[in-house]
Amino acid sequence: MERQTGRLPQRRRGAGQAFVEFALVVPVLLLLLAGVVQVGVILWSQSTLDQVVRDTGRWAVSSRQCSDPTEVVATANSIASRSSLPGFTSNWSAASSESGPGVYVAWSGGPCPPADNTTRAWVTITINHRAPVFFPWIPGDGNI
């Protein structure tokens, strides 16, 4: 017959060690995972915004609607609403400068619209957008 003592068996003494190690490592891993997700959202936003700007520029050049920037802004809003741009919830407005919020449209190099196929003109479309930032410790504020 085995005698009972007040002490735990030797194998039970280290049973909480794994839990303590788990509790120390999990927050670090979750922060790392959250950072990877946030960077992914920002890169996704940048890529989608680049495509919206390209499609808007292609429309502006081919439709010869360069004399009225409100048409270009309306088209940018339409394209963005059909895209998967994170953080696009409302319509952009026309911007007065390239660094201002919204859509800035500028033509250069020739008359707008071009008189014929031999005349060159360039359109510059700048869209300032804010990507959603879930974690305030990520560098930057989401402006792309």
Side-chain angles (χ1 to χ4, degrees):
M1 191 177 228
E2 203 173 304
R3 206 173 94 157
Q4 294 284 337
T5 61
R7 295 172 39 191
L8 292 174
Q10 184 68 17
R11 63 183 171 86
R12 295 273 298 154
R13 285 180 130 180
Q17 178 184 356
F19 180 72
V20 170
E21 289 174 356
F22 178 76
L24 291 173
V25 170
V26 164
V28 174
L29 290 177
L30 288 177
L31 284 175
L32 184 65
L33 180 65
V36 168
V37 168
Q38 181 63 64
V39 169
V41 167
I42 290 172
L43 290 176
W44 174 25
S45 298
Q46 180 66 50
S47 176
T48 306
L49 186 63
D50 287 345
Q51 188 62 43
V52 168
V53 170
R54 272 190 229 105
D55 291 345
T56 303
R58 189 175 299 118
W59 177 86
V61 169
S62 64
S63 69
R64 296 177 173 253
Q65 294 291 332
C66 55
S67 59
D68 187 12
T70 57
E71 291 291 326
V72 177
V73 173
T75 301
N77 285 323
S78 173
I79 292 170
S81 68
R82 289 179 276 139
S83 71
S84 62
L85 182 61
F88 182 78
T89 56
S90 62
N91 291 337
W92 291 312
S93 59
S96 58
S97 69
E98 196 169 347
S99 61
V103 180
Y104 175 72
V105 182
W107 286 84
S108 62
C112 172
D116 54 22
N117 288 340
T118 61
T119 307
R120 293 183 187 176
W122 291 269
V123 63
T124 301
I125 297 177
T126 304
I127 299 178
N128 295 309
H129 179 69
R130 185 177 175 111
V133 176
F134 307 117
F135 306 103
W137 45 267
I138 296 289
D141 55 1
N143 288 330
I144 51 174

